[in-house]
């Protein structure tokens, strides 16, 4: 990352008593500050309802940084210097009058540094508070015009979830846009801040040899998987039970991965142009008809089982989950992109909780050679057997063990012409030890700089909801009779295998 501009930066975190502030936002700001990406005069104001003063907030954030700053980069002396930038202000978010007090406090804190520069408002609050807080900020004169020549510059980050269907997302966009200009709004999807996700675009458009193969002539299908072996972390049940896997992971993270892997190259490397191309891919998503949703959209919910040798409860037995809950904890989809490049190429997406493993990856499975001259030998510990020649597979492992691998067929040494499938691997860890920033570092610095490339634009969000909402509606109208339909620690419901139909392929064991 290059160093950012020199004018003052103030970050106001609404929801400063929340878990995200302690786990991600403050540790990310600490790292950016220590590494000089943010000017020394940084000011952070934690805003929340809970009674607390600056000293207590600094102490709590010290513990948070100690536990959460990546790669052991925490340093007590550096934190002592950083802590001076931290302040805390008590505010009831719906107390309209209280915002005047916040403004006074903000101006008072900023005067220590000279003129206010960039003010970044981070809304890490309940989704139904986004619009209200933005409105109060507008009414109290916190928001500068987007193209004003003088400082301060205003930017606002909104955490997920951004709506729970098309209608609510549209309403939220309208609320925010009534106060702010689109270029002042930064809707976070933390997947886009991951190095390995950004690398999808760099890999595709920074190498000349792969891109010509990324199309329906050469690619048999694409699999995008985000598998988790955790279930409900403490305190999460209440949120999750109202969301489920589709809203929590697919509508945002997986659909964004799909855009990055399938979008057309932009003609210019810019936030607008990249997001225009993503939008085109979203608009071309198929199926267009929702008549036979159950044929291409599968849902699941985990029952009791065992994960890594440990007994795990079923979803309905987890903390703060309704005992008869019908919330899906697993989703698998077979979709497509109806454009010249991808028409006819299936794209399989899946995501779930309490599965056999934790792994996020995109696999581009290429077509097999037109003539099958050879056989491939596959072995386990006990025996070997012959299978057809395997396809080349280009895999982007987003996490863990971040890597890019290309699976190739090679002749196995010996007197026969038999093949083995082998991997050519590039491991991020081997080449770039300890320099992988956390997603939030990247996203925060981009928002401070005003770079919208890695944030979702209003039309992108709406296009994603437009595709997903009818599936959710169908599921709501037709509750699943067989929940729970997969055991904790398994690979998900059997029904998800049906998505591959007559094809010789199935879900990758990753
Ligand atoms: C969050 C979801 O957005 O992403 C969580 O709300 C999920 O349910 C998490 O566990 C996964 O993120 P990551 O970065 O661990 O893959």
């Amino acid at each position: 990352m290059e160093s950012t501009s020199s004018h003052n930066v103030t970050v106001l975190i609404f929801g400063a008593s929340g878990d995200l502030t302690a786990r991600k936002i403050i540790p990310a700001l600490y790292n950016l500050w220590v590494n000089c990406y943010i000017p020394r005069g940084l000011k952070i104001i934690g805003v929340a309802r809970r009674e607390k003063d600056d000293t207590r907030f600094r102490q709590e954030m010290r513990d948070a940084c100690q536990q959460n700053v990546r790669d052991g980069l925490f340093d007590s002396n550096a934190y002592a210097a950083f802590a001076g930038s931290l302040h805390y202000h008590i505010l009831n978010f719906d107390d309209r009058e209280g915002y005047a007090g916040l403004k006074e406090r903000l101006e008072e804190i900023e005067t220590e540094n000279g003129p206010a520069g960039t003010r970044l408002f981070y809304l890490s609050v309940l989704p139904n508070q986004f619009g209200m807080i933005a409105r109060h900020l507008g009414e109290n004169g916190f928001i500068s015009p987007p193209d004003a020549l003088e400082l301060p510059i205003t930017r606002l980050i909104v955490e997920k979830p951004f709506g729970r269907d098309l209608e609510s997302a549209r309403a939220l966009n309208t609320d925010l846009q009534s106060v702010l200009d689109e270029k002042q709004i930064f809707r976070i999807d933390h997947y886009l801040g991951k190095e390995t996700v950004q690398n999808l675009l760099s890999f595709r458009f920074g190498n000349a040899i792969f891109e010509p193969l990324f199309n329906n002539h050469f690619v048999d299908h694409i699999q995008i998987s985000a598998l988790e072996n955790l279930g409900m972390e403490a305190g999460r049940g209440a949120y999750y039970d109202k969301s489920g896997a589709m809203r929590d992971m697919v509508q945002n993270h997986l659909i964004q991965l799909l855009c990055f892997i399938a979008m057309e190259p932009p003609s210019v490397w810019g936030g607008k142009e990249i997001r225009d191309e993503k939008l085109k891919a979203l608009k071309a998503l198929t199926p267009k008809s929702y008549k036979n949703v159950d044929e291409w959209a599968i849902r699941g919910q985990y029952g009791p089982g065992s994960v890594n040798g440990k007994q795990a409860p079923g979803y309905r037995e987890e903390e703060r989950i309704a005992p008869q809950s019908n919330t899906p904890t697993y989703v698998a989809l077979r979709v497509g992109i109806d454009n010249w490049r991808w028409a006819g190429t299936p794209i399989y997406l899946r995501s779930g909780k309490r599965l056999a493993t934790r792994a996020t990856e995109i696999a581009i499975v290429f077509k097999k050679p037109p003539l099958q001259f050879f056989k491939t030998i596959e072995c386990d510990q006990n025996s070997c057997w012959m299978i057809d020649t395997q396809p080349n597979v280009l895999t982007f492992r987003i996490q863990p063990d971040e890597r890019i691998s290309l699976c190739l067929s090679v002749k196995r040494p010996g007197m026969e012409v038999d093949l083995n499938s082998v991997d050519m691997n590039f491991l991020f860890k081997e080449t770039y030890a300890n320099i992988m920033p956390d997603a939030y570092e990247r996203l925060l610095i981009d928002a401070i700089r005003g770079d919208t490339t890695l944030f979702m634009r209003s039309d992108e969000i709406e296009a994603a909801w437009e595709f997903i909402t009818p599936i959710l509606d169908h599921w709501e109208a037709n509750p699943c009779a067989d929940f729970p339909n997969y055991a904790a620690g398994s690979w998900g419901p059997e029904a998800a295998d049906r998505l591959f139909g007559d094809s010789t392929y199935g879900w990758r064991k990753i």
Side-chain angles (χ1 to χ4, degrees):
M1 285 189 241
E2 343 144 350
S3 193
T4 192
S5 64
S6 55
H7 63 240
N8 291 324
V9 174
T10 307
V11 182
L12 294 98
I13 307 169
F14 284 70
S17 308
D19 172 58
L20 191 75
T21 303
R23 256 186 330 109
K24 292 290 181 188
I25 305 173
I26 295 288
L29 287 168
Y30 165 85
N31 257 347
L32 289 169
W33 186 83
V34 166
N35 291 302
C36 301
Y37 290 111
I38 309 186
R40 298 289 90 186
L42 167 72
K43 295 287 173 200
I44 299 170
I45 308 179
V47 184
R49 207 176 48 177
R50 212 168 284 174
E51 293 280 336
K52 211 179 283 186
D53 59 12
D54 288 359
T55 313
R56 168 126 177 253
F57 186 53
R58 288 172 185 172
Q59 183 55 45
E60 285 176 3
M61 292 306 110
R62 181 183 206 285
D63 298 345
C65 285
Q66 216 162 1
Q67 281 167 32
N68 297 307
V69 163
R70 67 179 159 90
D71 305 325
L73 291 177
F74 180 79
D75 175 274
S76 295
N77 294 331
Y79 183 80
F82 171 76
S85 64
L86 289 172
H87 300 270
Y88 187 83
H89 186 82
I90 302 167
L91 179 72
N92 231 330
F93 302 142
D94 53 9
D95 169 18
R96 204 173 145 186
E97 273 74 54
Y99 285 73
L102 174 63
K103 187 129 186 275
E104 260 176 46
R105 181 89 196 278
L106 165 67
E107 283 163 2
E108 182 191 304
I109 289 169
E110 282 180 337
T111 44
E112 288 174 22
N113 279 344
T118 298
R119 286 180 183 161
L120 178 65
F121 296 86
Y122 196 127
L123 305 193
S124 174
V125 296
L126 294 174
N128 61 6
Q129 298 175 317
F130 294 154
M132 173 194 57
I133 295 177
R135 215 173 33 253
H136 290 331
L137 290 175
E139 287 159 358
N140 284 279
F142 282 91
I143 315 288
S144 325
D147 298 314
L149 293 176
E150 70 272 20
L151 298 173
I153 295 166
T154 310
R155 298 193 174 119
L156 179 116
I157 295 187
V158 189
E159 258 299 330
K160 68 168 269 239
F162 200 91
R164 51 178 289 108
D165 53 19
L166 177 58
E167 199 188 328
S168 53
R170 274 190 183 142
L172 189 47
N173 276 331
T174 308
D175 275 357
L176 295 179
Q177 287 166 343
S178 68
V179 182
L180 296 128
D181 187 88
E182 179 62 28
K183 58 169 134 14
Q184 297 174 305
I185 306 172
F186 293 73
R187 298 173 194 78
I188 277 208
D189 181 318
H190 79 278
Y191 264 55
L192 298 192
K194 290 179 191 279
E195 274 295 326
T196 40
V197 173
Q198 293 169 53
N199 195 58
L200 293 171
L201 296 186
S202 316
F203 180 93
R204 284 187 61 198
F205 306 134
N207 293 288
I209 62 170
F210 292 102
E211 196 54 23
L213 306 179
F214 267 50
N215 57 53
N216 45 16
H217 297 289
F218 294 95
V219 175
D220 182 87
H221 71 273
I222 298 175
Q223 294 192 24
I224 303 180
S225 308
L227 313 181
E228 296 185 88
N229 48 14
L230 284 180
M232 289 303 99
E233 301 124 74
R236 273 212 105 209
Y239 149 77
Y240 192 87
D241 208 32
K242 290 201 191 75
S243 303
M246 187 71 117
R247 292 188 172 94
D248 187 52
M249 290 291 293
V250 180
Q251 183 275 340
N252 37 54
H253 307 325
L254 265 73
I255 293 281
Q256 288 295 318
L257 293 181
L258 182 146
C259 287
F260 270 30
I261 205 68
M263 64 181 254
E264 293 299 321
S267 48
V268 173
W269 199 253
K272 176 185 180 310
E273 291 75 9
I274 290 174
R275 298 191 302 172
D276 286 349
E277 294 306 332
K278 286 169 69 192
L279 182 65
K280 284 187 213 159
L282 286 167
K283 292 218 174 241
L285 275 171
T286 60
K288 292 284 178 215
S289 154
Y290 292 83
K291 271 200 201 115
N292 303 315
V293 171
D294 295 328
E295 288 174 14
W296 55 273
I298 305 295
R299 58 197 144 153
Q301 187 192 75
Y302 62 87
S306 113
V307 182
N308 297 331
K310 274 202 197 140
Q311 279 304 110
Y315 177 69
R316 290 173 178 179
E317 288 94 57
E318 299 263 26
E319 199 187 305
R320 300 173 84 179
I321 302 298
Q324 301 302 324
S325 172
N326 257 314
T327 302
T329 59
Y330 177 99
V331 171
L333 304 178
R334 184 187 61 238
V335 301
I337 293 185
D338 231 354
N339 63 13
W340 200 262
R341 183 194 283 261
W342 291 120
T345 306
I347 303 177
Y348 300 93
L349 310 176
R350 65 176 161 164
S351 179
K353 299 269 184 204
R354 281 257 201 262
L355 294 169
T357 190
R358 171 178 178 253
T360 303
E361 70 161 45
I362 301 178
I364 316 282
V365 181
F366 289 93
K367 292 188 173 167
K368 290 184 182 174
L371 295 180
Q372 293 277 323
F373 291 136
F374 311 112
K375 284 285 178 195
T376 294
I377 296 195
E378 238 185 22
C379 298
D380 63 16
Q381 283 135 342
N382 306 317
S383 55
C384 289
W385 60 93
M386 297 294 216
I387 55 172
D388 281 345
T389 304
Q390 292 302 288
N392 299 119
V393 182
L394 179 63
T395 308
F396 298 89
R397 171 71 83 131
I398 311 288
Q399 62 192 22
D401 312 324
E402 292 80 356
R403 64 171 184 263
I404 298 173
S405 22
L406 180 60
C407 175
L408 306 165
S409 288
V410 297
K411 182 184 175 300
R412 179 181 147 109
M415 302 308 132
E416 313 296 333
V417 188
D418 296 330
L419 303 190
N420 272 157
S421 278
V422 295
D423 278 340
M424 266 171 63
N425 269 320
F426 157 68
L427 277 93
F428 281 77
K429 228 189 273 168
E430 277 179 4
T431 310
Y432 304 118
N434 286 344
I435 59 164
M436 296 275 276
D438 184 76
Y440 278 84
E441 291 173 43
R442 175 65 200 221
L443 295 173
L444 275 159
I445 196 68
D446 278 3
I448 289 169
R449 290 170 179 161
D451 183 345
T452 52
T453 312
L454 298 176
F455 295 86
M456 292 176 294
R457 209 165 55 187
S458 58
D459 48 6
E460 273 183 81
I461 293 255
E462 289 180 18
W465 277 122
E466 202 168 330
F467 184 71
I468 295 294
T469 303
I471 309 174
L472 290 167
D473 289 347
H474 171 78
W475 285 352
E476 211 168 300
N478 300 279
C480 210
D482 67 347
F483 275 4
N485 60 356
Y486 70 98
S490 69
W491 288 92
E494 271 172 30
D497 298 335
R498 286 206 308 266
L499 293 180
F500 288 83
D502 297 337
S503 134
T504 51
Y505 292 101
W507 292 110
R508 288 161 53 78
K509 295 272 188 287
I510 55 181

